[in-house]
Amino acid sequence: MQPPSRRTFLALGLITLASACTGSPGGDPDGDVLPGNRRPGPDPDLAVRLRALAATDTLLAAYDSALAAPDARTALLQPLRAETAQHRAALAYGVPAASVPPTSAATTPAANATPTATTTPTAPATPATPATPATPAALAALAALERRTAQFRLAELGAARPPLARLLASVAAANTLHATALDPTDQGIDQPAATTAPKPDAPGTGSAPGTGSTPGTDSVPALQNALGAEHAAVYGYGVVGAHLSEDRPRADARTAHAAHQAQRDAWQRLLTTLGATPTPAAGGYQLPFPVTDAPAATRLAAHLETRLSAVYADLVAALPAAQRPTAATALRDCALRARRWGAPDTAFPGIPETVPTPTATPRP
């Protein structure tokens, strides 16, 4: 038998990469498991995973307490707890059972904390109180815990390798979605997305993906992909707005359109500063399905935001560690808008279970 060719190895590498990027969140998150399910050495993400598991266990305990309370809102709480259990399973993948700590509470991380070599964020805590009726105040307290947990996960992005950072960003978006479901007074975002993007390093000092503080030239393909997706979203929202007649949906469409224009402009500025030519918008885009009325326009808006969530989840893994929160925030905002437009809930926003179909393709 002839030894495998270099092309064969490259093909196998591409298959592994595709599995890591498009597979189930519970699958191998890093694509580095050797035959026999043996890793080449200690998992460098183990400490991050254990902290993430502790935070998730705190949430699970809070949900269990709420579900055991008199007049528990089971229909609301059980699906959220089930998704939290899915998060735990994905975060625990590959962690030795003996290493997983029991459910525990820790101190709440400082606002905007960032992991460093000397300070490590700690999981948010929930008081060990007896079950109380599911009053609006109790649900709001659970929503606040979800929000603190989301912020904790964002603070951990820089300490994780790219695949785990992608998963953490997705779970953080889910935590925010849970918070808005528990507390109707907090809808997550009401303003256009941030109009700024990470500033690049000085010429010749670009960072490799997953390291450093600012994007380097290695991040350009992922940034171009995000820009192209925003071009398609801006075009798509023009179609959406043209088919909505009621005031509130049209106002929501205008707000989303402005947010995507702002984010598009931010990526264009960043790419230009990096010395790359921003990908121009196409003259037109082929929509994924015909849009002739308001219901179809609403479905298109949900589709656009869902696909953009996937783009930004991938961008989290492509950007340097310190800049991942920029993409994670965009992922969160897209997931929140997708829900507002009626997209079905998912435990892992931005991480599709199967290979997604294109959002919109430029017309030939």
Side-chain angles (χ1 to χ4, degrees), residues 297-362:
T298 300
R299 291 199 309 274
L300 177 60
H303 180 84
L304 291 169
E305 300 294 354
T306 300
R307 287 291 295 116
L308 273 166
S309 298
V311 169
Y312 283 121
D314 289 341
L315 186 59
V316 169
L319 285 176
Q323 301 303 335
R324 291 170 183 166
T326 301
T329 299
L331 162 59
R332 177 204 67 194
D333 292 351
C334 290
L336 285 165
R337 283 191 291 263
R339 170 185 277 180
R340 290 186 181 182
W341 289 115
D345 286 336
T346 172
F348 299 95
I351 303 182
E353 294 184 1
T354 58
V355 178
T357 55
T359 299
T361 55

Side-chain angles (χ1 to χ4, degrees), residues 56-70 72-74 77-78 80-82 84-85 88 103 126-127 129-132 134 142 145-146:
T56 308
D57 284 340
T58 297
L59 272 175
L60 287 171
Y63 276 108
D64 287 341
S65 177
L67 284 165
R73 293 184 58 184
T74 306
L77 296 175
Q78 278 189 339
L80 300 182
R81 191 205 182 280
T84 304
R88 192 186 195 285
T103 302
T126 184
T129 56
T132 56
L142 186 53
L145 178 61
E146 286 275 16

